[in-house]
Amino acid sequence: MGNGTSIGRVRGLGAAHHGTHHWVLQRLTALGNLLLMAFLVISLGGLGQYDFKSVIDWIARPLPALAIALLVISVFWHARLGLTVLIEDYVHEGANKVAALVLLNIAAFGGMAAGLFFIARIVFAAAGAEAAAGAMAAMQGGR
């Protein structure tokens, strides 16, 4: 089969001497993406109304917010893993490879951070609105 030396086949190492680490992580993140998307589709399907306020209220609940946050992390990590292998396999110039990997990491972690920030903003805005409504009700009831 031409998979390197016989000892390399026994150890599970390929030509890059990294073994199957990327392959396993890619499959695990794909499974995570599949399960999280299934949950979100079923959960969103039971929502009933799909206007802006209903969807924002749904996202602000703890379980959907956690699921979306985990999906954001998993999707960007999955994309990063796949594109890292692509760059390592097809970009041969050393400086170009390093530059492409640095840009990929900036884009992946930047996208992940932005997605998590936007989810947190929705959740905290909804919590702040609830607290403000409770304070207004308490002030009006205290008269």
Side-chain angles (χ1 to χ4, degrees), residues 2-3 17-18 30 35 51 55 79 90 108 110 116-117:
N3 254 359
H17 306 289
H18 292 295
L35 294 174
D51 59 305
V55 174
Y90 293 106
L116 293 174
F117 171 76

Side-chain angles (χ1 to χ4, degrees), residues 32 69 77 87 98 117 137:
W77 194 260
I87 291 169
V98 169
F117 171 76

Side-chain angles (χ1 to χ4, degrees), residues 98-137:
V98 169
L101 288 171
V102 167
L103 288 174
L104 171 63
N105 285 323
I106 290 170
F109 289 114
M112 194 183 308
L116 293 174
F117 171 76
F118 296 137
I119 294 165
R121 185 171 176 207
I122 291 170
V123 169
F124 292 139
E130 283 183 28
M136 286 297 290

Side-chain angles (χ1 to χ4, degrees), residues 64-77:
L66 176 64
I68 293 172
L70 290 174
L71 183 66
V72 165
I73 292 168
S74 183
V75 164
F76 278 101
W77 194 260

Side-chain angles (χ1 to χ4, degrees), residues 11 14 28 33 40 43 52 55 60 71 73 83 98 100 104 108-109 114:
R11 290 182 182 154
L28 289 175
N33 292 343
L40 290 172
S43 178
F52 182 78
V55 174
L71 183 66
I73 292 168
L83 291 172
V98 169
L104 171 63
F109 289 114

